[in-house]
């Protein structure tokens, strides 16, 4: 492939909308537009990755720091999060992650008691007023199921966060219940509990039956019940894991603490996402000058360039080398522009092919060309006649 045929346009400056260094370099090196659309070079690279993927172990060869089974790569700016266990390598999307829940110490069930709790429509305010930990309260959430308009009353412990994704797995699509629906069930927003409701599908987190004497709403403005107990005061149609894991929670498999990691996903529904793979590659393989793609991730193994000569036609020599590399099945990007050396060196660093070959007058007089590995500082001269062998050894 020749530089001019593929219309590469590199940029000196990082785009101002770059959220990550990887994206910034993909734009600067001309793989993507600022609007995140693949250019001709970008499409060529995605196609290259797609061809590599016929080998099922190809992700392994891209040297990406995947967390687990080749799906997730850490990416600080990502909005997708997973729970990850360093010990046993458990990894799961945060909203579906399981963890070992810690039950409260078992207590004898105390009698239900209605108490005045003015202006306590949050768990926070309630726990403060009664001077109790949030885990001694029951949190109520109310939804309506989309398919049949069934009123859904959800209870999780006051110190836990509901995962709507886990709830949807149990009951299907939902929307927040509106005031009218809440009132019709007999619940009072801000002071709601599942006690004595009408026509409600009650769904509770599996910690609730294991937690005695929780404070819950009395379904009356400004009042709560002390000592509500699952089984005695109410029961549920569904008891399931409904809450979201937090950093430090115990791994469901091995008990070690989970960490929460923002990630990029390399595949969805068993199909590779090549755009994300390219971004993960750029995120992983770059230095302060540009991309440093390894073989075989790089779209080209060699960046070939000539330095315009005074006496010799360096371009014609470079063209010869280009042809012999291609005949040897080495993928080459030939920078055939009549540009200053500095411009070409900068572009070579940005684009990030593993090997740079420079054809200059001085070297040619000795029958040599300059060979430099992208990841190394030093370059060396190699005989033109040996170029194919020299390149094949460091690449393969
Ligand atoms: Zn684990």
């Amino acid at each position: 492939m020749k530089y001019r045929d593929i219309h590469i346009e590199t940029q000196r400056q990082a785009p101002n909308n770059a959220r990550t260094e990887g994206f910034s370099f993909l734009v600067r090196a001309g793989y993507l537009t600022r609007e995140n659309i693949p250019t001709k070079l970008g499409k060529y690279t995605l196609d290259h990755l797609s061809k590599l993927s016929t080998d099922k172990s190809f992700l392994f060869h891209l040297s990406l720091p995947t967390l687990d089974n080749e799906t997730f790569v850490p990416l600080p700016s990502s909005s997708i999060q997973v729970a990850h266990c360093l010990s046993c390598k458990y990894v799961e999307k945060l909203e579906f992650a399981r963890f070992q829940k810690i039950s409260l110490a078992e207590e004898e069930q105390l009698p239900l008691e209605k108490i005045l709790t003015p202006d306590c429509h949050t768990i926070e305010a309630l726990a403060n007023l009664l001077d109790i930990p949030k885990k001694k309260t029951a949190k109520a959430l109310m939804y309506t199921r989309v398919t049949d308009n069934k009123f859904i009353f959800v209870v999780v412990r006051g110190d836990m966060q509901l995962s709507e994704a886990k709830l949807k797995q149990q009951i299907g699509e939902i929307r927040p219940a509106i005031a009218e629906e809440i009132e019709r069930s007999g619940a009072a927003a801000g002071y709601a509990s599942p006690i004595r409701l009408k026509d409600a599908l009650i769904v509770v987190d599996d910690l609730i039956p294991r937690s005695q004497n929780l404070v819950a709403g009395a379904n009356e403005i400004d009042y709560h019940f002390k000592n509500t107990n699952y089984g005695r005061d109410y029961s549920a149609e569904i008891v399931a894991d409904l809450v979201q894991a937090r950093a430090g929670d115990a791994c469901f498999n091995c008990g070690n603490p989970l960490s929460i990691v923002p990630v990029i996903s390399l595949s969805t529904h068993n199909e590779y996402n090549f755009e994300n793979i390219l971004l993960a590659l750029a995120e992983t393989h770059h230095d302060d000058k540009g991309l440093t793609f390894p073989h075989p991730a790089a779209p080209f193994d060699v960046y070939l360039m000539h330095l315009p000569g005074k006496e010799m036609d360096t371009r014609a020599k470079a063209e010869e080398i280009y042809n012999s590399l291609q005949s040897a099945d080495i993928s080459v990007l030939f920078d055939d522009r009549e540009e200053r050396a500095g411009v070409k060196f900068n572009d070579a660093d940005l684009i990030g092919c593993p090997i740079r070959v420079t054809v200059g007058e001085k070297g040619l007089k000795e029958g040599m060309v300059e060979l430099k590995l992208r990841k190394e500082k030093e370059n060396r001269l190699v005989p033109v006649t040996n170029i194919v062998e020299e390149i094949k050894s460091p690449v393969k």
Side-chain angles (χ1 to χ4, degrees):
M1 190 68 76
K2 291 184 181 172
Y3 197 100
R4 286 196 281 206
D5 293 339
I6 201 168
H7 303 296
I8 298 173
E9 279 185 46
T10 57
Q11 324 251 348
R12 284 182 162 267
Q13 301 291 329
N16 49 18
N17 64 341
R19 289 192 307 153
T20 69
E21 291 193 341
F23 175 76
S24 176
F25 277 127
L26 285 171
V27 172
R28 287 185 59 199
Y31 288 84
L32 297 176
T33 67
R34 283 165 192 251
E35 293 73 35
N36 196 21
I37 296 164
T39 59
K40 219 168 167 184
L41 174 63
K43 283 185 195 144
Y44 182 89
T45 309
L46 294 172
D47 193 46
H48 167 70
L49 292 171
S50 168
K51 281 178 192 152
L52 290 179
S53 73
T54 51
D55 172 359
K56 286 294 156 218
S57 63
F58 96 108
L59 280 179
F60 173 77
H61 299 294
L62 300 185
S63 317
L64 290 171
T66 48
L67 290 179
D68 58 324
N69 49 14
E70 309 193 327
T71 314
F72 300 112
V73 172
L75 181 72
S77 67
S78 177
S79 57
I80 302 169
Q81 294 184 311
V82 292
H84 179 229
C85 173
L86 266 176
S87 304
C88 75
K89 309 288 176 219
Y90 171 75
V91 58
E92 179 59 271
K93 285 199 173 155
L94 181 58
E95 61 268 35
F96 294 115
R98 302 194 66 193
F99 62 101
Q100 289 179 18
K101 295 175 177 174
I102 301 163
S103 302
L104 303 180
E106 197 158 342
E107 291 176 14
E108 202 179 314
Q109 297 188 356
L110 300 173
L112 201 62
E113 187 188 328
K114 189 161 137 185
I115 50 169
L116 182 65
T117 52
D119 296 325
C120 285
H121 25 70
T122 63
I123 292 289
E124 194 87 54
L126 183 65
N128 279 341
L129 177 82
L130 300 178
D131 194 21
I132 54 170
K134 286 193 209 164
K135 62 186 176 191
K136 293 295 289 179
T137 68
K139 189 192 284 183
L141 299 112
M142 293 172 277
Y143 295 91
T144 298
R145 181 156 59 194
V146 171
T147 49
D148 59 1
N149 287 322
K150 184 79 187 167
F151 181 69
I152 310 290
F153 196 98
V154 182
V155 186
V156 301
R157 226 170 57 184
D159 58 330
M160 300 276 167
Q161 206 66 44
L162 172 73
S163 159
E164 284 193 356
K166 287 183 180 176
L167 178 63
K168 285 179 196 170
Q169 277 188 324
Q170 296 294 329
I171 59 166
E173 276 306 308
I174 47 171
R175 59 169 173 82
I178 56 172
E180 213 171 44
E181 292 162 334
I182 294 171
E183 207 173 302
R184 203 183 310 139
S185 76
Y191 299 87
S193 77
I195 299 173
R196 296 173 210 136
L197 292 185
K198 297 187 289 279
D199 296 326
L201 175 67
I202 298 174
V203 186
V204 306
D205 182 61
D206 51 12
L207 263 181
I208 293 295
R210 296 190 262 147
S211 306
Q212 287 87 42
N213 302 325
L214 299 180
V215 176
N219 289 326
E220 191 180 330
I221 298 295
D222 287 346
Y223 286 93
H224 277 88
F225 283 130
K226 268 170 96 170
N227 308 324
T228 67
N229 283 284
Y230 181 88
R232 181 190 71 182
D233 303 319
Y234 65 96
S235 58
E237 278 78 7
I238 299 171
V239 178
D241 171 35
L242 298 177
V243 294
Q244 186 146 316
R246 287 169 293 199
D249 280 339
C251 172
F252 192 78
N253 295 335
C254 75
N256 282 297
L258 293 172
S259 40
I260 310 297
V261 187
V263 294
I264 187 168
S265 177
L266 303 185
S267 63
T268 24
H269 308 300
N270 290 324
E271 296 226 355
Y272 291 120
N273 181 328
F274 295 107
E275 280 87 358
N276 281 2
I277 293 174
L278 180 59
L279 181 59
L281 280 166
E283 213 57 58
T284 309
H285 303 291
H286 68 259
D287 61 17
D288 55 349
K289 289 186 172 153
L291 299 163
T292 57
F293 288 146
H295 174 83
F300 306 99
D301 285 327
V302 175
Y303 191 98
L304 171 68
M305 55 180 272
H306 69 287
L307 302 177
K310 284 184 186 133
E311 300 160 29
M312 298 172 81
D313 185 355
T314 51
R315 183 165 181 221
K317 196 70 202 171
E319 187 97 35
E320 260 175 51
I321 294 171
Y322 176 62
N323 291 332
S324 56
L325 292 178
Q326 288 204 311
S327 321
D329 227 13
I330 296 167
S331 58
V332 191
L333 178 61
F334 177 20
D335 186 347
D336 55 343
R337 298 171 301 168
E338 299 302 326
E339 280 281 3
R340 285 184 294 116
V343 171
K344 291 186 168 189
F345 286 141
N346 277 343
D347 282 1
D349 281 342
L350 274 174
I351 294 167
C353 307
I355 297 174
R356 189 184 76 199
V357 174
T358 308
V359 183
E361 199 166 63
K362 206 172 147 208
L364 276 185
K365 284 182 177 162
E366 318 281 318
M368 307 287 243
V369 291
E370 182 195 286
L371 189 148
K372 180 182 171 295
L373 299 187
R374 174 65 184 83
K375 287 184 182 174
E376 284 172 17
K377 279 203 168 67
E378 303 305 314
N379 53 46
R380 62 194 172 92
L381 290 174
V382 301
V384 178
T385 44
N386 274 2
I387 190 76
V388 169
E389 290 69 29
E390 288 284 348
I391 284 172
K392 280 202 162 173
S393 49
V395 176
K396 302 279 152 71

